């Protein structure tokens, strides 16, 4: 299954569409035999993304629906939400606005349960676009405001994380410099001790010769 996934991905990134779908479908059959639900979910999602890229939205819906079905089977909220977002995006492209809203409402609810800010940001972005398509500028503006607020919060958190990582790197560098300096000082002290011993030995020899 791993090798099939790798082969399909290579075809996919090189601009092929039908061949990776065939390989992913083959991988689904093999994964089904061993009950690897996570792999099945991933392969259906990949097929859905390829069909979405090709604007074959009806087939994309079928693939994402199967991905959602498997995600519900595994009872993984984050995977369920991701499948719902993919479905909402395709429904929006097909002007199935009620279906898209239904998917997004559930995904948003899951995002709040999980306290997943990035998931909520995606939901708010899609909701803003969806209500704009529906001509509801007030609702669109509300969700765009939520999207902007949460995006800024994520950016601040990412900036703090980068600063923390940078400080850690600087502290580690300082620590290494300190260690090198201490080693250098120890070496210098050792050399001084050896020199002192040598001088004392020479002095003793001089006294013996007298």
């Amino acid at each position: 299954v791993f090798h099939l996934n790798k082969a399909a991905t290579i075809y996919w990134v090189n601009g092929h569409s039908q061949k990776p779908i065939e390989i992913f479908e083959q991988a689904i059959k093999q994964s089904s035999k061993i009950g690897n639900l996570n792999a099945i979910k991933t392969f259906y999602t990949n097929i859905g993304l390829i069909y979405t890229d090709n604007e074959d939205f009806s087939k994309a819906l079928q693939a994402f629906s199967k991905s959602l079905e498997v995600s519900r089977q595994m009872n993984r909220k984050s995977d369920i939400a991701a499948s719902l977002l993919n479905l909402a995006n395709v429904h929006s492209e097909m002007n199935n606005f009620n279906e898209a809203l239904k998917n997004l409402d559930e995904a948003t609810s899951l995002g709040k349960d999980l306290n997943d800010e990035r998931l909520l940001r995606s939901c708010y972005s899609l909701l803003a676009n969806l209500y704009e398509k529906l001509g509801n500028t007030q609702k669109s503006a509300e969700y765009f405001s939520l999207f902007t607020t949460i995006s800024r919060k994520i950016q601040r958190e990412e900036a703090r994380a980068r600063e923390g990582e940078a400080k850690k790197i600087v502290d580690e560098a300082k620590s290494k410099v300190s260690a090198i300096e201490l080693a250098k000082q120890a070496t210098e002290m050792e050399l001084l001790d050896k020199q002192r011993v040598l001088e004392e030995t020479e002095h003793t020899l001089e006294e013996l010769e007298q």
Side-chain angles (χ1 to χ4, degrees):
V1 173
F2 169 78
H3 296 297
L4 287 172
N5 182 50
K6 193 173 179 182
T9 304
I10 290 167
Y11 277 113
W12 188 5
V13 297
N14 282 292
H16 299 278
S17 56
Q18 192 52 46
K19 189 65 179 176
I21 288 171
E22 288 171 8
I23 297 172
F24 282 134
E25 285 173 344
Q26 190 181 341
I28 287 167
K29 286 177 185 174
Q30 289 197 14
S31 300
S32 298
K33 288 176 184 175
I34 57 173
N36 190 340
L37 294 177
N38 190 56
I40 295 167
K41 180 265 306 176
T42 302
F43 297 142
Y44 273 128
T45 297
N46 290 344
I47 291 169
L49 291 170
I50 294 170
Y51 279 131
T52 303
D53 286 344
N54 294 340
E55 297 186 1
D56 191 341
F57 297 125
S58 59
K59 286 184 179 176
L61 276 183
Q62 289 173 21
F64 288 140
S65 295
K66 286 175 181 175
S67 177
L68 176 61
E69 187 182 323
V70 177
S71 296
R72 290 196 194 281
Q73 233 179 304
M74 292 190 293
N75 197 28
R76 283 191 194 164
K77 288 184 177 181
S78 57
D79 288 342
I80 292 168
S83 297
L84 287 166
L85 283 174
N86 286 326
L87 281 168
N89 185 51
V90 175
H91 278 304
S92 180
E93 291 289 344
M94 297 175 75
N95 295 329
N96 299 334
F97 300 128
N98 287 336
E99 286 299 317
L101 279 173
K102 196 162 69 174
N103 294 145
L104 286 171
D105 283 344
E106 187 181 351
T108 304
S109 178
L110 288 168
K112 288 174 180 175
D113 287 347
L114 294 166
N115 197 26
D116 187 331
E117 291 177 337
R118 283 168 177 76
L119 171 57
L120 287 170
R121 178 174 61 178
S122 298
C123 290
Y124 295 146
S125 174
L126 280 170
L127 283 163
N129 288 331
L130 191 56
Y131 277 111
E132 188 180 352
K133 284 183 177 181
L134 287 165
N136 190 334
T137 52
Q138 185 180 340
K139 277 274 189 186
S140 179
E142 284 174 15
Y143 281 112
F144 184 73
S145 177
L146 287 168
F147 165 76
T148 305
T149 302
I150 207 163
S151 292
R152 284 175 181 162
K153 187 182 176 190
I154 290 168
Q155 284 167 2
R156 284 195 299 271
E157 287 170 356
E158 286 174 348
R160 278 197 293 271
R162 283 195 298 270
E163 285 170 10
E165 189 61 31
K167 185 178 183 301
K168 185 182 171 186
I169 291 166
V170 169
D171 289 344
E172 284 175 359
K174 282 181 180 176
S175 178
K176 283 177 185 173
V177 169
S178 298
I180 291 165
E181 191 61 37
L182 285 169
K184 185 182 171 187
Q185 287 174 11
T187 304
E188 287 173 353
M189 290 295 290
E190 192 179 337
L191 286 170
L192 285 170
D193 286 342
K194 284 179 181 177
Q195 191 176 346
R196 196 178 300 113
V197 169
L198 186 62
E199 286 172 356
E200 286 174 358
T201 304
E202 286 175 353
H203 183 67
T204 304
L205 287 170
E206 284 173 5
E207 286 182 343
L208 288 170
E209 286 174 0
Q210 288 174 1

